[in-house]
Amino acid sequence: MTRPISLFTGQWADLPLEEVASLASGWGYDGLELACWGDHLDVSRWDDAEYVAGRQELMARHGLKIVAISNHLTGQAVCDDPIDRRHQEILSPAVWGDGDPEGVRQRAAEAIKDTARMAAKLGVETVVGFTGSSIWKVLAMFPPVPADMIEDGYADFANRWNPIMDVFDAEGVRFALEVHPSEIAYDYWSAKRVMEIMADRPNFGLNWDPSHMVWQDIDPVGFLWDFADRIYHVHAKDTKRRLNGRNGRLGSHLAWADPRRGWDFISTGHGDVPWEDAFRMLNAIGYSGPVSVEWEDAGMDRLVGAPEALAFVRKSMFDAPDAAFDAAFSSK
Amino acid sequence: MTRPISLFTGQWADLPLEEVASLASGWGYDGLELACWGDHLDVSRWDDAEYVAGRQELMARHGLKIVAISNHLTGQAVCDDPIDRRHQEILSPAVWGDGDPEGVRQRAAEAIKDTARMAAKLGVETVVGFTGSSIWKVLAMFPPVPADMIEDGYADFANRWNPIMDVFDAEGVRFALEVHPSEIAYDYWSAKRVMEIMADRPNFGLNWDPSHMVWQDIDPVGFLWDFADRIYHVHAKDTKRRLNGRNGRLGSHLAWADPRRGWDFISTGHGDVPWEDAFRMLNAIGYSGPVSVEWEDAGMDRLVGAPEALAFVRKSMFDAPDAAFDAAFSSK
Amino acid sequence: MTRPISLFTGQWADLPLEEVASLASGWGYDGLELACWGDHLDVSRWDDAEYVAGRQELMARHGLKIVAISNHLTGQAVCDDPIDRRHQEILSPAVWGDGDPEGVRQRAAEAIKDTARMAAKLGVETVVGFTGSSIWKVLAMFPPVPADMIEDGYADFANRWNPIMDVFDAEGVRFALEVHPSEIAYDYWSAKRVMEIMADRPNFGLNWDPSHMVWQDIDPVGFLWDFADRIYHVHAKDTKRRLNGRNGRLGSHLAWADPRRGWDFISTGHGDVPWEDAFRMLNAIGYSGPVSVEWEDAGMDRLVGAPEALAFVRKSMFDAPDAAFDAAFSSK
Amino acid sequence: MTRPISLFTGQWADLPLEEVASLASGWGYDGLELACWGDHLDVSRWDDAEYVAGRQELMARHGLKIVAISNHLTGQAVCDDPIDRRHQEILSPAVWGDGDPEGVRQRAAEAIKDTARMAAKLGVETVVGFTGSSIWKVLAMFPPVPADMIEDGYADFANRWNPIMDVFDAEGVRFALEVHPSEIAYDYWSAKRVMEIMADRPNFGLNWDPSHMVWQDIDPVGFLWDFADRIYHVHAKDTKRRLNGRNGRLGSHLAWADPRRGWDFISTGHGDVPWEDAFRMLNAIGYSGPVSVEWEDAGMDRLVGAPEALAFVRKSMFDAPDAAFDAAFSSK
Amino acid sequence: MTRPISLFTGQWADLPLEEVASLASGWGYDGLELACWGDHLDVSRWDDAEYVAGRQELMARHGLKIVAISNHLTGQAVCDDPIDRRHQEILSPAVWGDGDPEGVRQRAAEAIKDTARMAAKLGVETVVGFTGSSIWKVLAMFPPVPADMIEDGYADFANRWNPIMDVFDAEGVRFALEVHPSEIAYDYWSAKRVMEIMADRPNFGLNWDPSHMVWQDIDPVGFLWDFADRIYHVHAKDTKRRLNGRNGRLGSHLAWADPRRGWDFISTGHGDVPWEDAFRMLNAIGYSGPVSVEWEDAGMDRLVGAPEALAFVRKSMFDAPDAAFDAAFSSK
Amino acid sequence: MTRPISLFTGQWADLPLEEVASLASGWGYDGLELACWGDHLDVSRWDDAEYVAGRQELMARHGLKIVAISNHLTGQAVCDDPIDRRHQEILSPAVWGDGDPEGVRQRAAEAIKDTARMAAKLGVETVVGFTGSSIWKVLAMFPPVPADMIEDGYADFANRWNPIMDVFDAEGVRFALEVHPSEIAYDYWSAKRVMEIMADRPNFGLNWDPSHMVWQDIDPVGFLWDFADRIYHVHAKDTKRRLNGRNGRLGSHLAWADPRRGWDFISTGHGDVPWEDAFRMLNAIGYSGPVSVEWEDAGMDRLVGAPEALAFVRKSMFDAPDAAFDAAFSSK
């Protein structure tokens, strides 16, 4: 099973795609998971055949596959509440518009539909992304949260995403939700709930990114087994816990790389994700899709880290053998 | 050192104060930490001498001290953003008014000033409470949070609470902030930051409630040492961690007592707070104020739990001796 | 929810039932889980109305309910292989017969059918017991175990127990298999497999006994959630782990209470089972059946331990409240 | 097996023995382990028959046994180097003399011989105590310690204690060394070494005191098994670890009860000693001697702690049963 | 100290020895531990000088030493009970014969004697292997196991292996029992018992294979110290624990590499064996024999794993220095 | 930030500096931390310009910087008590003189002053070293230590080191005390105390050596944050804990590399120091000084270990990036 190892371009969108492709290709990556921001991919031009062909040509020129396209930033606005200047910062002017929250949400939903259309045009199987959440803000459960407010949050998600998924179905494209704090699904049981809601929508699946699980003490390997048939994408991203009785789980509103944080993102392979167990589990459940390095480490230079992460993943990911070792004991 | 053991009436405000006082007195509590909701205490009547005297008389009749007054629910609205129906649920109609967020915040601030005035009238040294926070909602740090947005959050807190603290100073009353998720200070480093901001306001201190620390992996005992001179109140409330690789730290938006939560509040003494170490530390730092049982356990009847918690606290809290044991070795 | 607390009489079968009933009643137990050995209950006399009435009368005289009947020892022989002198020791002469293994198995199967019939006569809802296993002996997976040998083991179980369950169905009685080393289901995944095989037989469920799980590092509380609708009986039995680098998990073939064992059974409440979490989970899944103290502790006198265990269970098992504690915050 | 539970009077020597005996007897202790300081026992008067009879009479009057006599303070001086004002503080003027170190050591050795003689006169089987050590001071192994310096330390011990043990042999009395930091044996391997040196002296054994083991991460229960035949006395004393990344194992030269210490002595049953496992192991190795509460807790009043410790020990220490529980399964 | 690093050929016996030798030599192994199955070594031909010379010539041709010969599969049958189709699968037709259990055991014993004779002919010092066990099957201790049944198991072992060891003595060859579940010794205390039985037979020792210890929570490094003078062979084989509350210690009868197993064999260096500590301990106890890679990992291709394991062992195993580092501090 | 990686020559002083420089240079080290013993550096010749120039020339010839000079051995004698043959072994004859303790201490103090003078002549910013301690020997707190004895120890340190620091101030050189058992500061709280005493002496700082912290269970990374502005030097030295219930924290007076020790020094990168976290913290606090490999591993050849340690440190120590990774998300 040879899974492509790709680089997610989201954290490189300050550079032109041409340059990112050149770097990734030079390091030996097999492909890219294209971010739909910066100049990397403009999903609003899905019906501009020349634009689409141009993107394909650029990638081909560098010998790279497009393993998936990712629209986390726009997806975030679909359900989020409140919508504020954090969103303005990450949305395209067209989606932000006048910034009226409900308008932003609806334009974001339309843009996600366009993402499906773009994926179809590019011949890409999977769109990766976020959903936002209207109930993430009530995480602390204080002020007391009426039970129906949680229910409303899940219903809001269903109402906003079902029409989106109709377009995905029509285009034959899958959506892979990244289980992530601030999204409708951010841990095991919230993912369980979301997948029950989406049980009848086989095109709705998950992007397994273990970096968000280890600091919550969720077992990312067991997660793969339990959601095996809906793992549609994999992010190779890592997290380091640094708990010492003063640093806590919630991060103290400190910036990335501040050593007082109780946890931090870290270059893939430097953290607490049990990678070898994870790759063996991916073999066990027969996952054959891309493994996409999402590189975030505010304490290391990305030009050092990205090729190192590729080497780490390549070494850690090996095939299962065909025959059992104890067959050799047989006297037959 | 005989600290009064009190019951915080916040979780009993569905009952008339008369009834709560009767129960608490019957169980053997020394006093109450009066909640400013239900019919327990109406701070808007701080200048109604008869009302004040009536509350005092009620307490005296049951042989109970007022060890502190608590206005968590109103304080929550001072800095919170968004303000929504969760707040409407917990605020008095007067503070909620038309529900316009900024108006709610300002009316809440005024009500907290009244709380100080009421404390002065009642001869109570400490007001316990929450502050709310305009940046709690960006806890996940995604969408990316501009550094100045965090700064703005702390500045907003300072701007809103300094005028409030002027009234506390004028009244000679202390405010004890409960370090708690959803507040401006919710862990060690955010508390550190808030206390730096408030360094020159000796009437601004902390309510040490360990139940919010243990599930964040913050050492509640070491916290007492580091903030020793600003511990103005103590809540004896407990938390149980239940992490098994599926249950995570963030609670999955599940209701209290749902066994899939990674942690839950629990009857004092049944959880993971190291109580004996904590009480010994309170001796070491010379804390002589009240120890107030805040009883929250969605899996146990409160009529069973509250007297059991009192017995637990009384047994666990003992004085330090005067002489060192190894003095007995001396040949002198 | 008032669940009866009973004593399992299996470890007291050297005493006449009269005496055990007298002891248990005196200690305050609500009922007995009757063992089908010693003189406690002879299932072969299920159609002897006088005998049945006599047992009922004896129990009534001591104010005790029969919460379940248990036939672990006979059930063990249904699938076991090998059958040897350990079985002879624990089987009635009638079931053992000439000791020919297959004959023993078949007579044991018939005796389990009689157990269902006896339960029906006594008006008892549940038979608790073991199944034996033809593949327990290949646990070490060495010499290499052909995959079909494991399959054969499960098939053998199905073949032998389906006809038995037909009788249970006919009698309207449930069977609760105790997940236990040496049985067809002894851990999480083997229980999962067995319950898949028995998915269509609602009368086939589980006896949850956490003592066999903790030394295998299986989470007994999570087990309850995952098998919630098939928990038909509960054993309150405890285990203490004593691992120090020399004592191992497998017990070294040492006798119970030998301090070199890596784990040992211990008086309920003295071990590593998280009882309070377990009882809260039983509330959560709505289990309303009996909680039966199975007392095994080779290092303590049973006359001391059995009443102590009852007191422990009674104290640990409390009801969930009707109202949520944070309802009291409401201003409504 | 009914072991006497005694109180070690060392930490009570500021009170007259009469008063300590009265207290201990009133609390329900079975006997005392008499300290040879304060006015409790003056070993220099071993040949004063009237004095000896007087001590016996005092004890009998309070219904107390003398379970052992203890001369830790004098024993400490036998091998110690340096001898300084700490020793002056704890030695009798006669032993201290002019304070010349070697003279002090020799007078201490003679006093220990007298202790054996006194034990014989009192009909007491065991003397408990310390030995001191000339090499404890080089614990840090820096400045580098020549290998022969360690050897010299053990040889010095042997040279000084063999003549002492000749007197013990002559008197038919046993010496029980308390494994303790600052003594020649302070952990597992140093105890192993000392017992090799003393292998041929059956009257030289150990006082098992787990409080000194838990903060060193030594397994006190396994220790009992390995030194089973030389456990001549037991101290029920407890220790609490308080490690949080700032508090360390070495105590920082901070006073007892300072909450910054990484560990502290604590009232028996409040600490980290696995008492139940320990008492079961004492059953397993057939220890039938006294269990002596050594009460040291700088954070609790001893008048509260000593009776509480007695109750704790009595409850924790129970006999093993005669019959195996699974005998009841037999069909015979 | 240059210990040869060898490859155990047991898991490669489906390939001709010629091919295995070629592979191992190419990877850089120093020698082989020859399995006595497949075509690798036929011990029944011990007195066929030409055959023996041929095996030696083959090995020499590839520049490989024979560090030991291993007859696990035949040894297993010596004491095992039951004997069933698992054994038929792994035994030579000559040993299996008609499959009558006692005949199989006796022919297996004879074959082990031949293994000693073959070792002598080949000039090999050590035979490695299993013993089987008549009591492994009663591991669960249920149905209750009469104490004499365990004793009988050890006696059966002694009776069957003493005559075998007489031949080893005569041939001047050592037997190294691999401590392993399903054998007479499978953990610390069972190994202790077996070595007591064999105390007077210096040719009976142990093959230290840590992979069977770590999942039992036995300290494999401390094991080396305690059995230092009887460690006659070393297997470099590794195990990974994967316990998550659902996966348990007993493996659930699941196939190797199934991710639901609580533990699994894994390529040397990928698991939980503390290899560096182990190699330092081998230096400390002066073990100078071979270190033999036993490679079992059902999730990795052996052609990838075997050379990787060799590199890992070579890097991890280094010599102790001659001089102490702190000698350099001396001013002399 | 490019910190020089140096080798501390203390453990190489049996070799001429010429040879050590040649080795270190060949391995790729950037500089040396020169030990003031062996022939490496004779501080008494600080005013011998030719000697000083010669040392500088030697270093320049090998392309090495002098990053610091270290006088641990002489510093140890300044406060130590007792002074004995361990000190004679490590002191120069001139400092040892007639060995009278107080004379030794005073001559050692003078030699430390010369060390400052030599540093100034060599243009070296920092002297690293020990202080000794008159109270280390009372670590066990038994015999009971009068509180003023501890105070006297700190006062003695202040009295002896203030005049020394006057010379450092005059020379413009900093002293970096290595926090280390046997010194006045050996853990977190003793370092805290010493830094309070020296608060007004900015030239007095710390040498952060984590190897002495991990076996005491002190968090070495948090230590850097708390003492950030006084970290004047860094030792890259490692420690491995080996606690198994028999090996304890105090080392049992066993030699280095004895596998029964509860902890041991080990080649940098092989132990329990969290190096990557530490290097990231050094970035966070802006430490720009040298990182000096102190290589001590009694179980590995130093010629193998020293270059391996260099490679490890170089790989582990990387710069923080300039831009935040999530800047790339911006749509601006």
Side-chain angles (χ1 to χ4, degrees), chain D:
Chain D
M1 193 185 298
T2 41
R3 303 182 192 99
I5 307 181
S6 50
L7 182 69
F8 173 36
T9 71
Q11 286 81 358
W12 307 74
D14 54 322
L15 304 178
L17 181 59
E18 185 79 45
E19 186 175 342
V20 178
S22 171
L23 285 167
S25 176
W27 291 325
Y29 278 94
D30 303 318
L32 297 180
E33 174 188 343
L34 281 189
C36 303
W37 54 90
D39 85 332
H40 293 199
L41 189 65
D42 180 351
V43 295
S44 71
R45 299 173 70 182
W46 63 271
D47 55 356
D48 175 345
E50 194 176 348
Y51 176 77
V52 172
R55 295 284 93 178
Q56 288 174 317
E57 182 277 334
L58 186 162
M59 294 291 287
R61 190 156 21 89
H62 291 284
L64 295 170
K65 284 185 55 177
I66 307 176
V67 302
I69 66 178
S70 282
N71 211 344
H72 294 71
L73 302 186
T74 304
Q76 186 66 32
V78 174
C79 294
D80 251 18
D81 180 50
I83 295 287
D84 57 28
R85 70 175 165 118
R86 296 171 298 150
H87 301 79
Q88 184 175 12
E89 196 73 22
I90 61 174
L91 292 172
S92 70
V95 172
W96 177 255
D98 61 0
D100 170 70
E102 187 54 27
V104 170
R105 285 182 203 111
Q106 291 178 12
R107 285 187 294 276
E110 291 310 310
I112 296 296
K113 292 176 188 168
D114 282 354
T115 313
R117 293 178 187 116
M118 177 59 94
K121 293 291 184 191
L122 287 166
V124 167
E125 192 178 9
T126 313
V127 169
V128 181
F130 287 156
T131 59
S133 166
S134 64
I135 50 175
W136 169 254
K137 65 177 179 287
V138 303
L139 180 82
M141 301 295 268
F142 188 86
V145 186
D148 63 351
M149 195 169 181
I150 303 295
E151 289 314 297
D152 288 354
Y154 285 113
D156 175 72
F157 157 73
N159 291 339
R160 292 183 189 275
W161 279 85
N162 270 314
I164 294 173
M165 292 311 300
D166 290 341
V167 177
F168 275 76
D169 289 348
E171 299 290 342
V173 173
R174 308 184 307 181
F175 183 76
L177 165 60
E178 182 170 332
V179 178
H180 182 288
S182 77
E183 309 315 315
I184 193 67
Y186 55 91
D187 64 6
Y188 184 91
W189 297 112
S190 55
K192 201 87 175 171
R193 180 68 186 279
V194 164
M195 296 318 285
E196 284 164 10
I197 292 170
M198 290 300 190
D200 296 333
R201 306 215 72 128
N203 278 332
F204 191 95
L206 299 173
N207 169 29
W208 178 79
D209 183 332
S211 67
H212 312 299
M213 300 184 190
V214 293
W215 69 265
Q216 295 188 60
D217 280 346
I218 295 167
D219 170 18
V221 179
F223 190 99
L224 284 172
W225 180 266
D226 288 0
F227 292 96
D229 56 348
R230 291 289 182 103
I231 303 297
Y232 291 173
H233 195 68
V234 162
H235 269 181
K237 184 179 171 191
D238 213 339
T239 287
K240 181 76 183 165
R241 286 182 296 250
R242 292 192 183 107
L243 300 159
N244 62 2
R246 293 193 288 180
N247 304 348
R249 296 272 169 180
L250 297 184
S252 315
H253 277 120
L254 295 165
W256 306 112
D258 189 301
R260 293 168 296 167
R261 290 184 58 88
W263 63 271
D264 211 344
F265 294 121
I266 200 164
S267 185
T268 310
H270 291 239
D272 295 322
V273 172
W275 287 109
E276 185 169 332
D277 274 8
F279 286 125
R280 287 173 185 259
M281 181 62 97
L282 288 169
N283 285 346
I285 65 172
Y287 174 80
S288 59
V291 171
S292 205
V293 170
E294 182 179 8
W295 199 89
E296 288 192 6
D297 183 336
M300 186 190 257
D301 189 317
R302 66 184 172 180
L303 296 179
V304 173
E308 193 202 84
L310 171 63
F312 173 80
V313 171
R314 216 181 280 294
K315 177 174 71 97
S316 307
M317 191 167 68
F318 41 75
D319 286 350
D322 297 325
F325 60 78
D326 52 7
F329 297 155
S330 175
S331 61
K332 298 305 168 56

Side-chain angles (χ1 to χ4, degrees), chain C residues 43-212:
Chain C
V43 295
S44 71
R45 299 172 68 181
W46 65 271
D47 55 356
D48 173 346
E50 192 177 351
Y51 175 77
V52 171
R55 294 284 93 179
Q56 288 173 317
E57 181 277 332
L58 184 161
M59 293 291 287
R61 189 157 21 90
H62 291 283
L64 295 170
K65 285 184 53 175
I66 306 176
V67 302
I69 67 178
S70 282
N71 211 345
H72 294 71
L73 303 186
T74 304
Q76 185 67 32
V78 174
C79 294
D80 250 18
D81 180 52
I83 295 286
D84 56 30
R85 68 174 166 120
R86 294 170 299 149
H87 301 78
Q88 183 174 13
E89 196 74 22
I90 61 174
L91 293 172
S92 70
V95 173
W96 177 256
D98 61 0
D100 170 72
E102 188 53 28
V104 170
R105 286 183 201 110
Q106 291 178 13
R107 285 186 296 274
E110 291 311 308
I112 296 295
K113 293 176 188 169
D114 282 353
T115 313
R117 293 178 188 114
M118 175 60 93
K121 293 291 183 191
L122 287 166
V124 167
E125 192 179 9
T126 312
V127 168
V128 182
F130 287 153
T131 60
S133 166
S134 65
I135 50 175
W136 170 254
K137 66 178 179 287
V138 302
L139 180 82
M141 303 293 270
F142 188 87
V145 186
D148 64 350
M149 195 170 182
I150 303 294
E151 289 313 298
D152 288 355
Y154 286 112
D156 174 73
F157 157 74
N159 292 338
R160 292 182 188 274
W161 280 85
N162 270 313
I164 293 174
M165 291 313 299
D166 291 341
V167 177
F168 274 76
D169 289 347
E171 299 290 343
V173 174
R174 309 184 307 181
F175 183 76
L177 165 59
E178 181 170 333
V179 177
H180 181 289
S182 78
E183 309 314 316
I184 193 67
Y186 54 91
D187 62 7
Y188 184 91
W189 297 112
S190 55
K192 202 87 176 169
R193 180 67 187 279
V194 164
M195 295 318 286
E196 285 164 8
I197 293 169
M198 290 300 190
D200 296 333
R201 303 215 74 126
N203 277 332
F204 190 95
L206 299 173
N207 170 28
W208 178 79
D209 183 333
S211 66
H212 312 299

Side-chain angles (χ1 to χ4, degrees), chain E residues 83 88 91-105 107:
Chain E
I83 296 286
Q88 182 174 15
L91 292 173
S92 70
V95 172
W96 178 255
D98 60 0
D100 169 71
E102 188 53 27
V104 170
R105 285 181 203 113
R107 285 187 295 275

Side-chain angles (χ1 to χ4, degrees), chain B residues 115-163:
Chain B
T115 313
R117 294 180 187 113
M118 177 60 95
K121 293 291 183 193
L122 286 166
V124 167
E125 192 178 10
T126 312
V127 169
V128 181
F130 287 154
T131 60
S133 165
S134 65
I135 50 174
W136 170 254
K137 66 178 180 287
V138 303
L139 181 84
M141 302 294 270
F142 189 87
V145 186
D148 63 352
M149 193 168 183
I150 303 294
E151 290 312 298
D152 289 354
Y154 285 112
D156 175 72
F157 157 73
N159 291 339
R160 292 182 188 274
W161 280 84
N162 269 313

Side-chain angles (χ1 to χ4, degrees), chain E residues 37-196:
Chain E
W37 54 91
D39 87 333
H40 292 199
L41 189 65
D42 180 351
V43 296
S44 72
R45 298 173 68 183
W46 64 273
D47 57 354
D48 174 344
E50 195 176 348
Y51 175 77
V52 171
R55 294 285 93 177
Q56 287 174 318
E57 182 276 332
L58 185 160
M59 292 291 286
R61 191 157 19 90
H62 290 284
L64 294 169
K65 285 184 53 175
I66 307 176
V67 303
I69 66 178
S70 282
N71 211 345
H72 295 69
L73 303 185
T74 305
Q76 185 67 33
V78 175
C79 295
D80 251 18
D81 178 52
I83 296 286
D84 58 29
R85 68 176 166 117
R86 296 170 299 149
H87 301 79
Q88 182 174 15
E89 196 74 22
I90 61 174
L91 292 173
S92 70
V95 172
W96 178 255
D98 60 0
D100 169 71
E102 188 53 27
V104 170
R105 285 181 203 113
Q106 290 177 15
R107 285 187 295 275
E110 291 310 309
I112 295 296
K113 292 175 188 169
D114 281 353
T115 312
R117 294 178 186 113
M118 176 59 94
K121 293 291 183 191
L122 286 166
V124 166
E125 194 180 6
T126 313
V127 169
V128 181
F130 286 155
T131 59
S133 165
S134 64
I135 50 175
W136 169 255
K137 66 177 179 286
V138 302
L139 181 81
M141 303 295 270
F142 187 88
V145 186
D148 64 350
M149 195 169 182
I150 303 295
E151 288 314 296
D152 288 354
Y154 285 113
D156 175 73
F157 157 74
N159 292 339
R160 292 182 189 275
W161 279 86
N162 270 314
I164 294 174
M165 290 313 298
D166 290 340
V167 177
F168 274 75
D169 289 347
E171 297 291 343
V173 174
R174 307 185 308 182
F175 183 76
L177 164 60
E178 182 170 333
V179 177
H180 183 288
S182 79
E183 310 314 317
I184 192 68
Y186 55 91
D187 63 6
Y188 184 91
W189 297 113
S190 55
K192 202 88 176 169
R193 179 67 187 278
V194 164
M195 295 318 286
E196 284 164 9

Side-chain angles (χ1 to χ4, degrees), chain C residues 135 187 217 245 249 252-253, chain E residues 135 187 217 219 247 249 252-253:
Chain C
I135 50 175
D187 62 7
D217 280 346
R249 296 273 168 178
S252 315
H253 277 120
Chain E
I135 50 175
D187 63 6
D217 280 346
D219 170 19
N247 305 347
R249 297 272 168 178
S252 316
H253 277 120

